[in-house]
Amino acid sequence: MEARRVPRAVSDPKVRQVGFFAPGAPPDRSQSGPPHPASSSPPVSDISPSGNSLSPVMIPPPRHLSADLARGPHFSPAAPLSPMRAARDSIPVGSYNPSEFVAPTASEFTDDALSPNWTARRSNSGKFASSLPAGGFDMSSLKQNNFPASSLTTVSIVNMPPGITEKDGGAGVEVQKERSKTGSKASSKPLKEQTTKAERRAIQEAQRAAKAATKGDGSKTPAASSGLGSSANANPGKAAKASPQKKDNSPVAASEKRGSDRPQDKDRKKDVPHPRMQFDDKSRVEKAKKRSVVKQTEAKNRVELFRHLPQYEHGTRLPELESKLFQLDPVHPAVYKVGLRYLAGDISGGNARCIAMLQAFQESIKDYSTPPEKALIRDLTSKINSYVSFLIECRPLSISMGNAIRFLKSKIAKLPLALSESEAKAILLSDIDRFINEKIILADKVIVRHAVTKIRDGDVLLTYGSSSAVELLLIHAHELGKNFRVVVVDSRPKLEGKLLLRRLVGKGISCTYTHINAVSYIMHEVTRVFLGASSVLSNGTVYSRVGTACVAMVAHQFRVPVLICCEAYKFHERVQLDSICSNELGDPDMIAKVPGRKEIDSLDDWANSDNLQLLNLIYDATPSDYVSMIITDYGMIPPTSVPVIVREYRREHLWT
Amino acid sequence: MWYRSASFILDQQQNDGVAQPESRLLSPTAPSPSMAETPQQNPKISAYYQTRAAHHGVVSSDWLAQAQAAVGRQADEAVSDDSLSLKSGESPKAFSVIDEFNNWRKQPELAEAVAAIRALASVIRSSEANTMMELEIELKKASDSLKSWDTTSISLTAGCDLFMRYVTRTSALEYEDFNSAKSRLLERAEKFGEISYKARRIIAMLSQDFIFDGCTILVHGFSRVVLEVLRTAAQNRKLFRIFCTEGRPDRTGLRLSNELAKLDVPVKLLIDSAVAYSMDEVDMVFVGADGVVESGGIINMMGTYQIALVAKSMSKPVYVAAESYKFARLYPLNQKDMVPALRPIDFGVPIPSKVEVETSARDYTPPQYLTLLFTDLGVLTPSVVSDELIQLYL
């Protein structure tokens, strides 16, 4: 035993260090590891001790109470779950945060983006990476129906003040005015809030003049309760209201607490992600609607399991938007244009959407000029935020877009303060260009170069839908003179495969076209399956066009290797186990109607019958078991190594 | 160490007895040209397996006598090895990395990749380059020529790549003057060679926890790492039993069983097709690897895959012992998705020309059939391999 142990203790660690890690090389994983636990743990620790310290200043919004009472029974079982929930929330799944709806210009994101902290980026990403439209709610949706709707309301009500405080004075006032306007509109808002707000404003003005860090109690109340709101999922009932106080303690030293509530607030916000909007929560949806730029009509008959996802009646949004073109001053025309094209479905595909969005942002940055008495970093971030929330209203963001936005914001946040406006803009523009080139265009080339080594003469390749990376790959392999055949599998209602097929056939590649119904038949002759992905999640799950999972499963059953081509910028640290909690609903009419076949359009008036619900899912999740390999710009990796890429990629973000 | 003599026999056959084995060992600067040429001469046989054949010898009828004769020689061999490593510093006028590599390669205990690493180190040593860039280019050229010398050897390729990675990736290189940078490179190269050389020892230590008293271990193929593991276990007075597959066509199992018998470990020989038959008696399967690929699977001697499949279906753990220089940036999707390494098979009787013979020498075992990998980086699950590789090459 001794003989065994002694050498082990000595030799193992030594080699581990020296082994193949050059001392000068990037820090090994022991350094990159910590951020994760660190960032995910705070929420947990925040929440658990929170229950008992009641803030003297806190006034629970009346609505909150009643709702709490109504939902009372649900809460107690929820309580023990809290750490778990918090953990889950710290990796916010998709979607936007509700406060965005309170006022699109809310500077929520500003502080997130500004903070150099990991967590910030984390939560940010979560928010943006949503596939849910504006006002999406937390994925935990189904479980969290029991969770205090009203406390969420509080979030949106109160989230404003921190925003104000973080902004420069002028902005703060403006926003606040806006806030109070919306506030008065919202029937649910208690009178008390109004008075506090006035008080708060006064205090803020005083503060601004003094430039002191200290702050009156009046403003603390809402700030604190906003903390509550976002953490409320874990803190049911009244106890929850007390929580923020405690909460603040954990990120910042307790001694600081009184003096600087604002920075704390910032910290707290970073830690606690905002819950996503659940579209089965009527009151919240109502509120969100009031604020939204795009007036949308909700579809009525939605499938039970997918009520938490937004679904709008098609065609109700476009005219509305068009008419508003000239009233919408906060949205830059380029962004507006892109948004409309998303809405109309002109731009689809993860890369195309992402590039279009980034280019629109570029346009808007070109035309941007910092308003007097504002800092570019903050003001531009809030501008971008408002654009993003507009885009979300047009179509939920894809994860790739979320990552791109995260990148842009971190770039803005890291701009040196001393920089002049034109310099800063030039830097940002070139950064965006670089992102498009390196992370999307070049990445695709590298992927193609890797993937082409897996195509041999005589292969029969199957692809599903239309993926830009796979298309490039097939064309490149053909140009290399490889002798192979392609099976394009397609599915209703989008029939995207047809376009791909057309282009491939145009290049002279021999193709077979079939629908997904025949996939089990055609799989016999296939030797490789190449699929694209909307995103790859850190448990190796591939989030892609609906039907992908089916194709992958059939291929797996036939022992055909499944290769996923996906750029590394689409990777996300989220974990998703099914296709339900986060998804996007398409227009149900698309599956109800068969174009050109009047005789079988028997579902024409489906919307009128209550007992018929149509489900047109856009994405699905393919478990990693069915994936043989993921081809990224970092090479060919097994699905188990996605977290490593996410980690490395993140680090790169931090450094550059 | 009888196999030493077996390899000598083979060498003698190849070289028509030109050089006496001892004298060749002591004169590393005069390599036999035939060794370097062989792979090109016979493209049907993978160079990798030629090397293995040279080192481990085909078991011939008089192997026992050879073994007896070789036992006495062991002591002075260690000395000769040392002198060899010292001598390799002074290289001949026309320095060739391949020759150097072949010199190193002649030591049976030295893995091919380690030989390559040492050969590359001596490239740095004998280099006349005046700038860092020149040196790097020279090194690159040398490693490329090594790699192209034998494309079928995974560990050779991987070892060269890792060496390049490890040696040239020093932050110190930028601001130092050339000579000190070169000596630093050399230092690193030496260190790397040292680590790689010791890897086997480390693996043997790590794996001891997994061998328990009274266990039965199935071993496939002749792997020096596995042998080291078992030898260490025997030295630690563990009680275990080995099932050894025959390892057709080069009968590597016979060699291994012979080694183990010398260690007083109870060994039972099985024909390759008796694996499933005896699997229920087995507690664990131990195999080496020619290469560890990015998916975490291994490429190893033909038959490993089917043993792993049988073991999986009978819920027996499959352990792989492999040094980290065998980690390769390859990702085979299935058995045919590899560079084939061919090897002639002797069936004992003439085969009609119409009959096709599968001569591939190795197969790919996917990661889901492996339990753990014992490497000098630690005991890893298959999925960690790719993490390591990403860390290394990214």
Side-chain angles (χ1 to χ4, degrees):
Chain A
M1 276 311 231
E2 282 163 12
R4 189 199 308 162
R5 246 173 224 165
V6 173
R8 221 185 129 176
V10 178
S11 59
D12 181 29
K14 192 171 76 196
V15 169
R16 193 95 179 81
Q17 266 186 357
V18 182
F20 301 111
F21 289 89
D28 62 343
R29 63 185 72 164
S30 59
Q31 266 168 299
S32 60
H36 289 252
S39 53
S40 58
S41 55
V44 181
S45 55
D46 284 347
I47 285 155
S48 37
S50 58
N52 31 13
S53 81
L54 252 167
S55 153
V57 235
M58 200 103 67
I59 301 146
R63 237 192 125 230
H64 198 132
L65 249 183
S66 61
D68 279 358
L69 285 175
R71 289 162 179 262
H74 293 295
F75 287 138
S76 34
L81 282 174
S82 62
M84 222 167 71
R85 246 186 219 177
R88 181 177 46 199
D89 285 347
S90 72
I91 305 166
V93 176
S95 218
Y96 230 59
N97 90 62
S99 57
E100 207 62 24
F101 299 94
V102 178
T105 46
S107 54
E108 292 277 338
F109 292 97
T110 327
D111 38 354
D112 276 345
L114 279 173
S115 69
N117 193 310
W118 258 131
T119 339
R121 217 151 278 119
R122 214 159 212 269
S123 50
N124 238 347
S125 72
K127 277 176 241 158
F128 286 114
S130 79
S131 53
L132 279 202
F137 219 160
D138 200 311
M139 64 165 269
S140 22
S141 59
L142 293 176
K143 252 211 185 142
Q144 289 183 358
N145 283 344
N146 56 356
F147 125 179
S150 46
S151 68
L152 285 169
T153 322
T154 343
V155 185
S156 51
I157 291 171
V158 202
N159 247 337
M160 229 28 235
I164 294 161
T165 56
E166 276 139 32
K167 283 194 168 194
D168 285 20
V173 177
E174 266 178 40
V175 176
Q176 216 163 8
K177 275 175 191 156
E178 199 183 322
R179 267 298 303 112
S180 53
K181 254 185 272 161
T182 37
S184 56
K185 259 190 275 169
S187 57
S188 62
K189 204 150 287 176
L191 204 75
K192 204 134 210 175
E193 284 286 331
Q194 299 283 4
T195 57
T196 0
K197 207 165 287 161
E199 210 180 309
R200 211 190 310 142
R201 203 180 311 153
I203 288 162
Q204 262 166 3
E205 253 141 16
Q207 184 206 22
R208 232 173 291 130
K211 295 207 170 171
T214 45
K215 191 167 119 4
D217 275 7
S219 51
K220 201 191 275 168
T221 314
S225 58
S226 82
L228 185 204
S230 29
S231 70
N233 22 356
N235 296 316
K238 279 185 181 170
K241 283 152 220 153
S243 70
Q245 288 295 336
K246 246 287 152 52
K247 221 172 209 330
D248 287 347
N249 283 344
S250 47
V252 190
S255 58
E256 258 181 325
K257 192 179 135 199
R258 285 287 130 181
S260 56
D261 229 16
R262 262 142 208 203
Q264 277 170 12
D265 223 280
K266 251 190 219 170
D267 283 349
R268 193 256 317 132
K269 262 210 211 152
K270 278 178 291 184
D271 290 345
V272 186
H274 295 277
R276 223 162 27 134
M277 173 100 154
Q278 305 273 266
F279 278 76
D280 42 0
D281 185 339
K282 285 203 184 80
S283 63
R284 307 263 324 133
V285 172
E286 279 308 306
K287 296 190 71 183
K289 260 194 197 161
K290 279 190 189 116
R291 283 180 298 271
S292 62
V293 182
V294 191
K295 283 282 172 275
Q296 359 207 7
T297 321
E298 293 259 337
K300 269 172 245 149
N301 301 349
R302 282 183 295 172
V303 177
E304 187 65 49
L305 209 49
F306 292 90
R307 291 256 164 97
H308 61 288
L309 301 173
Q311 186 165 48
Y312 302 112
E313 269 175 32
H314 202 65
T316 55
R317 293 187 283 175
L318 202 50
E320 188 81 32
L321 256 187
E322 275 164 354
S323 66
K324 282 207 175 170
L325 176 56
F326 299 105
Q327 306 163 24
L328 292 167
D329 46 56
V331 179
H332 189 274
V335 178
Y336 195 83
K337 188 172 133 196
V338 169
L340 285 186
R341 293 181 68 192
Y342 287 163
L343 192 57
D346 286 355
I347 307 178
S348 64
N351 286 344
R353 277 168 72 193
C354 190
I355 292 176
M357 179 190 72
L358 285 174
Q359 281 168 345
F361 284 165
Q362 258 184 328
E363 286 298 311
S364 70
I365 289 174
K366 265 181 213 157
D367 295 345
Y368 173 82
S369 64
T370 319
E373 290 174 45
K374 282 189 185 180
L376 176 130
I377 293 179
R378 291 169 188 226
D379 187 59
L380 186 57
T381 313
S382 69
K383 264 273 190 326
I384 297 284
N385 283 335
S386 70
Y387 296 160
V388 168
S389 57
F390 167 76
L391 290 181
I392 289 178
E393 282 176 42
C394 296
R395 186 176 165 189
L397 293 183
S398 67
I399 288 175
S400 54
M401 291 161 77
N403 282 345
I405 293 167
R406 179 158 56 145
F407 163 84
L408 176 60
K409 285 198 184 173
S410 76
K411 283 293 175 202
I412 296 176
K414 279 193 212 126
L415 285 176
L417 281 169
L419 235 48
S420 77
E421 190 185 298
S422 59
E423 279 172 327
K425 278 162 67 177
I427 288 177
L428 285 179
L429 292 180
S430 74
D431 276 342
I432 294 178
D433 267 334
R434 206 161 52 88
F435 186 90
I436 295 177
N437 279 325
E438 282 180 15
K439 302 295 179 198
I440 306 178
I441 295 170
L442 275 178
D444 269 336
K445 285 191 179 141
V446 176
I447 288 172
V448 165
R449 221 182 54 209
H450 283 299
V452 91
T453 61
K454 291 293 165 200
I455 299 179
R456 291 170 310 161
D457 281 346
D459 264 346
V460 180
L461 313 175
L462 183 142
T463 184
Y464 175 72
S466 170
S467 153
S468 55
V470 173
E471 183 180 342
L472 286 175
L473 163 69
L474 296 175
I475 290 171
H476 182 67
H478 182 68
E479 280 163 0
L480 288 183
K482 299 211 178 203
N483 178 24
F484 62 92
R485 204 153 63 78
V486 178
V487 178
V488 178
V489 177
D490 207 353
S491 75
R492 284 217 350 108
K494 286 212 166 181
L495 297 177
E496 292 162 309
K498 278 187 178 172
L499 287 171
L500 173 71
L501 184 74
R502 186 190 185 87
R503 291 189 288 259
L504 293 183
V505 170
K507 294 275 177 189
I509 300 174
S510 120
C511 292
T512 306
Y513 179 77
T514 183
H515 274 202
I516 196 164
N517 320 33
V519 73
S520 64
Y521 167 76
I522 204 84
M523 200 56 86
H524 283 288
E525 51 193 85
V526 174
T527 57
R528 298 267 188 283
V529 175
F530 281 97
L531 299 171
S534 165
S535 174
V536 176
L537 312 178
S538 65
N539 57 344
T541 299
V542 174
Y543 187 68
S544 189
R545 164 76 56 216
V546 68
T548 304
C550 171
V551 173
M553 284 179 205
V554 173
H556 178 78
Q557 196 56 42
F558 280 81
R559 298 290 180 270
V560 178
V562 178
L563 298 93
I564 305 287
C565 300
C566 183
E567 300 85 356
Y569 87 101
K570 290 177 177 174
F571 284 29
H572 198 267
E573 69 270 16
R574 182 210 300 184
V575 165
Q576 194 175 324
L577 300 174
D578 55 36
S579 317
I580 299 166
C581 53
S582 171
N583 211 320
E584 191 181 330
L585 293 179
D587 177 18
D589 276 331
M590 298 257 284
I591 53 172
K593 290 198 177 102
V594 184
R597 298 276 309 271
K598 272 277 166 258
E599 70 276 13
I600 56 168
D601 273 354
S602 45
L603 292 178
D604 259 348
D605 51 351
W606 63 276
N608 298 330
S609 72
D610 281 339
N611 53 359
L612 173 62
Q613 299 147 352
L614 296 187
L615 176 64
N616 180 12
L617 272 186
I618 303 287
Y619 296 106
D620 66 12
T622 310
S624 61
D625 301 352
Y626 304 122
V627 178
S628 319
M629 173 195 285
I630 296 171
I631 305 174
T632 77
D633 25 337
Y634 294 113
M636 298 180 278
I637 59 163
T640 50
S641 289
V642 174
V644 185
I645 295 288
V646 171
R647 201 166 62 210
E648 298 293 319
Y649 187 54
R650 272 284 202 63
R651 198 196 282 164
E652 202 175 297
H653 261 234
L654 268 192
W655 285 350
T656 47
Chain B
M1 293 180 95
W2 68 273
Y3 54 83
R4 195 59 179 273
S5 56
S7 80
F8 293 156
I9 295 171
L10 199 105
D11 283 357
Q12 273 169 337
Q13 285 164 353
Q14 282 181 344
N15 304 337
D16 305 314
V18 173
Q20 282 301 307
E22 288 84 0
S23 68
R24 184 141 32 87
L25 257 177
L26 291 171
S27 58
T29 47
S32 56
S34 64
M35 275 298 276
E37 244 83 293
T38 28
Q40 282 81 8
Q41 283 170 355
N42 192 351
K44 278 251 159 169
I45 308 171
S46 141
Y48 180 70
Y49 282 94
Q50 269 182 314
T51 316
R52 284 183 72 88
H55 283 165
H56 312 324
V58 178
V59 180
S60 54
S61 50
D62 59 338
W63 62 269
L64 238 154
Q66 294 293 337
Q68 296 296 333
V71 170
R73 229 177 276 149
Q74 211 169 347
D76 48 359
E77 262 172 35
V79 182
S80 69
D81 278 6
D82 283 352
S83 66
L84 185 81
S85 57
L86 287 176
K87 271 197 175 181
S88 62
E90 314 107 38
S91 55
K93 302 276 176 298
F95 182 84
S96 152
V97 67
I98 306 273
D99 295 346
E100 184 72 25
F101 169 63
N102 278 322
N103 281 329
W104 284 111
R105 216 163 54 106
K106 289 209 192 82
Q107 304 179 47
E109 276 299 330
L110 204 62
E112 208 170 28
V114 181
I117 287 163
R118 296 213 163 154
L120 287 175
S122 58
V123 168
I124 302 182
R125 209 176 290 124
S126 65
S127 158
E128 281 149 19
N130 293 319
T131 62
M132 217 52 224
M133 206 59 210
E134 258 179 84
L135 185 60
E136 262 194 66
I137 291 168
E138 203 169 306
L139 210 53
K140 185 90 188 53
K141 225 183 269 169
S143 95
D144 283 346
S145 67
L146 265 185
K147 282 194 268 182
S148 60
W149 182 79
D150 180 4
T151 49
T152 54
S153 170
I154 297 160
S155 63
L156 176 62
T157 313
C160 286
D161 285 348
L162 282 176
F163 179 86
M164 293 299 290
R165 210 70 200 173
Y166 181 79
V167 169
T168 56
R169 235 201 194 183
T170 44
S171 53
L173 294 180
E174 277 104 44
Y175 47 84
E176 277 182 76
D177 68 303
F178 176 69
N179 277 331
S180 63
K182 187 177 166 185
S183 67
R184 187 171 287 260
L185 269 193
L186 209 55
E187 202 177 288
R188 283 177 69 82
E190 229 107 89
K191 207 193 224 165
F192 184 76
E194 194 68 7
I195 292 163
S196 309
Y197 188 66
K198 283 186 184 154
R200 217 174 280 163
R201 229 19 254 147
I202 296 161
I203 293 167
M205 294 298 177
L206 285 176
S207 55
Q208 291 309 304
D209 283 346
F210 293 84
I211 299 173
F212 51 91
D213 276 342
C215 67
T216 305
I217 304 174
L218 178 73
V219 179
H220 180 68
F222 184 90
S223 155
R224 283 167 291 195
V225 201
V226 171
L227 181 59
E228 182 73 36
V229 167
L230 298 177
R231 189 184 287 144
T232 313
Q235 278 162 4
N236 287 348
R237 312 214 171 282
K238 290 189 188 276
L239 299 171
F240 56 94
R241 186 161 64 129
I242 302 289
F243 282 6
C244 210
T245 56
E246 181 197 6
R248 284 271 292 150
D250 44 13
R251 292 186 272 183
T252 48
L254 295 187
R255 282 197 7 68
L256 189 68
S257 60
N258 184 59
E259 285 294 308
L260 291 169
K262 277 197 283 180
L263 298 170
D264 282 335
V265 176
V267 191
K268 190 182 194 179
L269 263 178
L270 316 170
I271 53 169
D272 291 335
S273 35
V275 167
Y277 169 80
S278 41
M279 188 58 86
D280 55 351
E281 285 178 65
V282 170
D283 289 312
M284 65 187 79
V285 178
F286 237 107
V287 291
D290 288 0
V292 180
V293 298
E294 227 171 320
S295 60
I298 56 165
I299 294 174
N300 196 29
M301 185 190 150
M302 188 61 90
T304 309
Y305 182 34
Q306 66 198 27
I307 289 175
L309 280 174
V310 171
K312 172 85 176 177
S313 72
M314 297 202 186
S315 316
K316 310 287 182 188
V318 178
Y319 298 132
V320 179
E323 300 93 329
S324 60
Y325 55 69
K326 287 176 177 166
F327 286 17
R329 290 219 87 179
L330 293 172
Y331 201 136
L333 289 166
N334 50 31
Q335 302 299 330
K336 303 284 150 31
D337 193 17
M338 296 186 285
V339 180
L342 302 178
R343 178 180 53 183
I345 299 172
D346 177 22
F347 287 95
V349 289
I351 306 286
S353 59
K354 278 180 189 168
V355 175
E356 209 184 331
V357 177
E358 174 66 68
T359 53
S360 183
R362 57 195 180 198
D363 59 16
Y364 163 63
T365 310
Q368 61 262 37
Y369 303 110
L370 306 177
T371 314
L372 287 174
L373 294 148
F374 301 144
T375 74
D376 46 328
L377 304 176
V379 179
L380 313 176
T381 58
S383 61
V384 180
V385 172
S386 132
D387 300 5
E388 289 290 340
L389 280 167
I390 292 171
Q391 297 273 352
L392 279 174
Y393 286 99
L394 212 66

